[in-house]
Amino acid sequence: KAAFLHRFASYVEWPPEALGEGPFVIGVAGADEVAGLLDQLLPGLAVQGRRAEVRRVTRATQLDGVHVLYIGAGMIARTRELRLAATERPILLVTDGDDDFGGGGVINFLESDNKVRFEVSLTAADRARLRIDSALLPVAARVERQPQAWLPRAEAFATHHRQSVCPIARATVSLERAD
């Protein structure tokens, strides 16, 4: 999971003001093993053109300068204040559990058949003012989208291309006009 956290950052675009001048910080809450692996992995590595470092986070006041925040497995109930503060900032919030996106995460780790997978919430990414590179989406186990944001685009696409079925949203669009 430590390697995933490092790699996720290359698929995310933060607002310019969120990157600041300092290092790229991956915060970890409630996952000492993952933080330890990041301590070993990050020295000498750059993320978004900046030196990368790990920070153990327990309180919302420690979020200044954090770009990615990982909430360890089983920590959702104990990190409510921290997660709430993170969702109000341009932070890539990564959760770990079976509660889908109930923890407010942009990315949520899943484990099945001893394999680590992840799902992506574009809704949460929009809320955090983050842009997720489309190259990450095909490898996600699931992608949560905002239907109301996609249907108008799908309808415009279908109208423009004179198709009756739009492959983007897999929605049928009627092109007949009522006179």
Side-chain angles (χ1 to χ4, degrees):
K1 293 178 183 176
F4 273 104
L5 293 171
H6 171 257
R7 294 294 298 153
F8 286 152
S10 63
Y11 292 97
V12 176
E13 182 181 324
W14 278 262
E17 69 277 5
L19 290 176
E21 295 295 322
F24 188 91
V25 179
I26 299 176
V28 178
D32 289 336
E33 183 179 333
V34 171
L37 291 170
L38 284 167
D39 281 333
Q40 295 171 16
L41 176 70
L42 294 181
L45 292 180
V47 178
Q48 300 277 330
R50 301 166 187 279
R51 179 179 54 83
E53 70 179 39
V54 64
R55 180 186 304 167
R56 286 146 180 90
V57 178
T58 57
R59 294 182 309 278
T61 57
Q62 298 171 312
L63 289 176
D64 287 342
V66 171
H67 301 94
V68 176
L69 177 61
Y70 171 65
I71 306 292
M75 294 299 295
I76 291 294
R78 291 183 255 169
T79 57
R80 185 176 185 279
E81 181 183 330
L82 182 60
R83 287 181 293 104
L84 183 60
T87 61
E88 295 172 352
R89 301 172 184 223
I91 292 176
L92 179 65
L93 181 58
V94 181
T95 54
D96 192 340
D98 296 327
D99 65 343
D100 295 323
F101 296 108
V106 175
I107 296 176
N108 183 51
F109 281 121
L110 305 167
E111 288 188 39
S112 69
D113 301 326
N114 293 324
K115 293 181 182 177
V116 175
R117 302 284 318 268
F118 63 90
E119 52 192 353
V120 177
S121 171
L122 296 177
T123 305
D126 284 346
R127 179 199 64 231
R129 300 185 329 265
L130 303 175
R131 295 186 63 189
I132 307 294
D133 189 320
S134 61
L136 184 64
L137 304 181
V139 295
R142 180 173 74 102
V143 177
E144 178 187 67
R145 292 180 167 90
Q146 282 183 312
Q148 64 272 23
W150 288 87
L151 288 177
R153 291 184 196 144
E155 195 169 307
F157 178 86
T159 301
H160 177 73
H161 292 284
R162 307 246 185 259
Q163 297 177 354
S164 60
V165 177
C166 176
I168 293 175
R170 294 185 184 169
T172 302
V173 179
S174 174
L175 298 179
E176 296 177 20
R177 290 185 179 211
D179 291 325

